[in-house]
Amino acid sequence: MAKIIGIGKYVPEKVLTNFDLEKIVDTSDEWITTRTGIKERRIAPKNTGASVLAYEASKIALKRSGLKASDIDLIVVATITGDTPFPSTACFLQNHLKAANAACFDVSAACAGFVYGLAAGWQFIKGGLYKNVLVVGSEVLSSITDWKDRSTCVLFGDGAGAVILTASKKDSILSAYLGSDGSESEILMVPAGGSRLPASEETVKNRLHFMKMKGNELFRIAVRVMVQAAGKAIKGAGLEFSDVDLFVPHQANERIISAVSERIGIPREKIYINISRYGNMSSASSAVALCEAYEEKKIKKDDIVVLDVFGGGLVWGSMVIKWA
Ligand code: ACO
């Protein structure tokens, strides 16, 4: 069984506001705010690897856990903007941390990556293979954002969140539910740079190394599957929606969060929302939101916290945590 003993976050210093974006593409603060709830996002310095953001968040999580880097025996990094196509960003992070005793791998589950990574870490501990697991969601989405495409560039930001899980007598993760639908993979993707369409002059010219998204289609699916995932995870924990103390959804669009919470009947004061300050940070979004909720003392011991996420793949998931 496993419990969370440390949590940390890091966002780059540079703030890019909606007003700044008005100078880059044909958009307005009014459009972005009413359609998404985003006011600003953080942008990492050019050529920063996701492992660098992950390192900053992990140092804080480690300090809070009371463990040393050498105590970590598994590092899982959820990212779609890894430092390089390979090796894994988890390996780069291991080197920054000098966590020499850790096995390392990455999880590719877009905005659902942090919950997928947590579920993996939890199961590795439950299975008895590892004792102390570092799970990180880290993204430099600015590196795959097309700054000429107003339909996507207003949505995303950079950041990282980290959690340390350790073996314990009682499980603080009560349940997890993960789902996917590969038939919808073309709705949100970076088309080039993989084996299907390796980098070439043509792919660069056609801007195929940037995110492409069919926003309205995603919106509808996101609401449906997030409602379903939260329901399954809460039922899996033997609880009701009324037992939830804090709902921490993926921060892609405030209207998605409102639609999901209305359908499941969770009141606004029980939902953690920070999208206005960061935009969508993919796998880092729910990790950073969880960390901020903790830092703002919105989570107390024994509270029931529900993560609910959705992203490109398509993938989704929900996890119920009894805060230890
Ligand atoms: N500024 C001004 N106008 C814009 C902008 C912009 N930044 N972007 C689009 N528009 C225009 C469009 O061109 C369109 O104009 P038209 O009516 O003249 O054709 C109009 O605004 C409406 O566009 P829609 O795309 O229909 O706008 P919508 O209300 O659907 O909002 C949005 C778009 C915000 C992208 C929304 O669909 C959304 O949030 N979708 C979900 C995204 C998501 O969940 N992603 C999650 C996963 S991310 C990951 O995995 C990495």
Side-chain angles (χ1 to χ4, degrees):
M1 288 178 275
K3 69 174 179 181
I4 294 173
I5 54 164
I7 187 162
K9 70 153 208 294
Y10 175 76
V11 290
E13 267 173 39
K14 186 182 169 189
V15 175
L16 185 72
T17 66
N18 292 349
F19 298 105
D20 296 328
L21 281 166
E22 284 180 358
K23 295 176 200 139
I24 301 173
V25 284
D26 179 15
T27 190
S28 66
D29 171 58
E30 201 266 332
W31 191 95
I32 303 169
T33 306
T34 52
R35 297 291 179 124
T36 70
I38 303 166
K39 296 298 279 184
E40 58 188 44
R41 66 290 290 145
R42 300 300 180 98
I43 304 294
K46 218 167 178 236
N47 303 334
T48 303
S51 68
V52 175
L53 276 57
Y55 175 53
E56 296 300 330
S58 302
K59 276 194 293 187
I60 298 167
L62 263 177
K63 193 161 183 228
R64 288 179 174 155
S65 74
L67 297 183
K68 299 187 294 296
S70 56
D71 296 325
I72 300 297
D73 43 26
L74 175 65
I75 298 175
V76 182
V77 175
T79 188
I80 51 166
T81 48
D83 291 32
T84 56
F86 82 91
S88 70
T89 297
C91 279
F92 289 114
L93 174 60
Q94 180 203 36
N95 191 43
H96 298 324
L97 286 168
K98 306 288 172 238
N101 300 317
C104 299
F105 68 89
D106 286 359
V107 163
S108 176
C111 308
F114 180 62
V115 169
Y116 268 68
L118 268 182
W122 174 45
Q123 289 302 312
F124 271 114
I125 291 176
K126 270 176 94 96
L129 196 55
Y130 298 114
K131 195 163 171 275
N132 298 313
V133 179
L134 168 63
V135 180
V136 191
S138 184
E139 303 288 3
V140 185
L141 292 181
S142 57
S143 68
I144 57 164
T145 296
D146 186 346
W147 295 102
K148 290 188 172 170
D149 175 8
R150 69 173 183 175
S151 69
T152 53
C153 76
V154 302
L155 303 172
F156 301 105
D158 303 335
V163 148
I164 312 246
L165 288 169
T166 197
S168 67
K169 286 203 182 88
K170 265 171 103 177
D171 231 341
S172 68
I173 296 176
L174 303 185
S175 70
Y177 170 77
L178 307 174
S180 311
D181 180 2
S183 72
E184 299 282 11
S185 46
E186 314 278 327
I187 289 187
L188 173 58
M189 69 188 312
V190 174
S195 50
R196 193 162 102 182
L197 203 54
S200 67
E201 248 178 68
E202 200 65 15
T203 60
V204 173
K205 199 173 82 202
N206 292 326
R207 310 185 76 74
L208 298 178
H209 296 274
F210 297 122
M211 270 182 285
K212 313 284 176 207
M213 181 172 87
K214 292 182 184 146
N216 334 50
E217 286 176 48
L218 265 178
F219 192 110
R220 279 193 305 277
I221 303 171
V223 174
R224 177 170 53 79
V225 298
M226 285 175 75
V227 168
Q228 188 196 83
K232 293 205 178 202
I234 289 169
K235 195 169 173 212
L239 300 172
E240 308 282 338
F241 281 111
S242 55
D243 296 316
V244 177
D245 295 297
L246 193 71
F247 184 61
V248 184
H250 175 47
Q251 315 276 319
N253 187 320
E254 195 163 346
R255 290 186 296 139
I256 295 179
I257 298 175
S258 300
V260 170
S261 46
E262 267 164 38
R263 280 169 180 71
I264 60 184
I266 294 207
R268 180 78 183 198
E269 62 273 16
K270 288 190 174 183
I271 309 167
Y272 192 80
I273 305 178
N274 62 6
I275 189 173
S276 64
R277 288 178 284 132
Y278 302 127
N280 180 351
M281 298 181 286
S282 191
S283 68
S285 271
S286 52
V288 169
L290 185 66
C291 182
E292 289 201 331
Y294 167 78
E295 289 170 347
E296 291 168 18
K297 304 201 185 324
K298 293 202 160 91
I299 307 177
K300 304 181 300 296
K301 190 176 181 306
D302 292 336
D303 272 0
I304 300 294
V305 179
V306 175
L307 299 172
D308 194 20
V309 295
F310 163 82
L314 299 177
V315 284
W316 53 87
S318 181
M319 178 172 273
V320 179
I321 302 166
K322 184 169 181 166
W323 204 257

